[in-house]
Amino acid sequence: MGVISQGILGGVSGKVGNVVGASWKGIDYLRIKPSNVANPRTEGQVSQRTKFALTLSYLQPNLGFIKVGYKGYAVQKTEFNAAMSYVLNNAVGGTAPNFTIDYSLALLSRGNLSSPLNPTTDLTTAGQVTFTWDDNSAEGNANATDKAMVLVYNPGKKESMYILDGADRTTGSQTITIPSTYAGDTVELFMAFVSADGSQVSNSIYLDSGTAA
């Protein structure tokens, strides 16, 4: 039981309801007793945490790409948080605890700029990946000066190599150098376009898996 000394405006000693009174160096003070925080590890909570961890491990190596690719969605949130929300809600599937990410849905860039046309990749040369595409600069809102954004994601090493201001849309190809330690690893390949002034981006396109040479 708490005691209120000197009337209602005086100091409080002990506990009154959820208020705890005490004194320190002659100064009376009050603090709210913290509520007991339950943390039941329900099946739903565990599943959500597993999905979150999986999405985090996918997006962290691609942060630089995301900062450009989700710039238009960073409204009262960071680009990374916008990407986390999108991928969690649209690209994580499977059954607990074996959740997986559908890379074709796990966009690393989102926007209304015209996407790459007929993009392909070549991994036959050691230490590099070459991306190619058809010039569609005369279609939609595409521009000849749009820059290629290409990305090689190595999920086994949780690393990525990317170029954010590559060749012009009219050039039709962009080669990226990858570490020799990637040889024999499975890599996931993505591409998008960003306008020359950085104000617009396209949705990223997933170009499938490949084995690095």
Side-chain angles (χ1 to χ4, degrees):
M1 180 180 69
V3 177
I4 303 175
S5 62
Q6 302 175 12
I8 191 65
L9 298 179
V12 176
S13 175
K15 178 176 177 291
V16 179
N18 68 336
V19 176
V20 178
S23 179
W24 179 75
K25 292 186 178 182
I27 302 172
D28 295 323
Y29 67 91
L30 301 174
R31 64 183 175 84
I32 302 296
K33 182 181 179 182
S35 301
N36 292 327
V37 178
N39 186 26
R41 292 176 60 83
T42 65
E43 183 177 345
Q45 287 175 322
V46 172
S47 293
Q48 190 62 22
R49 290 170 186 169
T50 303
K51 290 179 180 180
F52 187 91
L54 176 66
T55 304
L56 190 65
S57 69
Y58 164 62
L59 294 179
Q60 279 183 326
N62 304 314
L63 179 58
F65 202 97
I66 289 166
K67 281 184 174 292
V68 176
Y70 275 79
K71 183 178 179 180
Y73 291 86
V75 180
Q76 297 183 330
K77 66 179 72 174
T78 65
E79 295 89 352
F80 189 81
N81 285 345
M84 279 288 296
S85 177
Y86 184 85
V87 173
L88 269 173
N89 290 315
N90 294 278
V92 179
T95 304
N98 300 312
F99 294 113
T100 58
I101 291 179
D102 184 339
Y103 293 120
S104 68
L105 301 176
L107 301 185
L108 295 174
S109 173
R110 293 179 63 200
N112 296 321
L113 190 64
S114 293
S115 295
L117 177 64
N118 300 324
T120 60
T121 57
D122 182 352
L123 293 87
T124 58
T125 302
Q128 67 182 42
V129 178
T130 297
F131 293 76
T132 58
W133 61 89
D134 292 341
D135 176 18
N136 62 340
S137 57
E139 300 174 2
N141 63 348
N143 299 287
T145 56
D146 293 336
K147 304 296 183 182
M149 297 172 60
V150 298
L151 182 142
V152 179
Y153 171 49
N154 187 327
K157 289 184 168 61
K158 293 184 171 57
E159 297 176 356
S160 287
M161 303 296 296
Y162 46 81
I163 295 175
L164 303 179
D165 58 348
D168 288 352
R169 193 185 288 262
T170 54
T171 302
S173 69
Q174 174 66 55
T175 297
I176 181 172
T177 300
I178 59 175
S180 59
T181 54
Y182 282 18
D185 291 350
T186 297
V187 291
E188 312 294 343
L189 308 169
F190 298 81
M191 180 181 176
F193 276 117
V194 59
S195 61
D197 64 1
S199 64
Q200 297 183 71
V201 294
S202 72
N203 283 352
S204 62
I205 292 180
Y206 173 57
L207 283 75
D208 211 349
S209 297
T211 301

